[in-house]
Amino acid sequence: MSAEVEETTATGNQPTATPLQSAPLNQPSDQLIASIALAGSAAIRRIIAERNELRRERERLTGANEELRRENEKTTAHRDHYRQIANELLVQLRQMHEAMQRASTRIQELSVESENREAALMARRFSPTGAKGK
């Protein structure tokens, strides 16, 4: 197609030629190219701003993650320490329980022996042969 189009005049008799554009129809105008370039530039600026914002967010999250990791290590150390103390306490309680059971058993044995001795003394005291031996 040419850069000119035929039009009918106001009188309607003779066609005249008017230019549509200075460039062929398949090529964009300078104004369109400038508009597209500005839009592309604005899009690139938005992408860069978003990238920078994401980098700041990543740095913030990395810092928060490090803090959480340190706190987790502290918590784990405290937990392990308290478990060790609890285990030591449990061992001591078991030892005390066993010692109390042994003491209780020994007290019962001594009580029985004492009762037997007292019974034996009473028996000797009241027996006819035990009284003579005194």
Side-chain angles (χ1 to χ4, degrees), residues 15 20 39 44 54 68-69 73 81 84 89 103 117 124:
L20 280 178
I44 290 170
L54 289 171
L68 288 172
R69 187 188 57 74
E73 287 175 0
H81 179 70
Q84 181 183 0
L89 179 62
R117 249 183 283 141
R124 279 189 216 152

Side-chain angles (χ1 to χ4, degrees), residues 95-113:
Q95 290 172 346
M96 288 173 52
H97 178 72
E98 290 170 5
M100 291 174 71
Q101 282 184 327
R102 283 191 306 269
S104 176
T105 303
R106 183 65 182 142
I107 288 171
Q108 287 176 353
E109 289 171 356
L110 290 174
S111 176
V112 168
E113 287 176 13

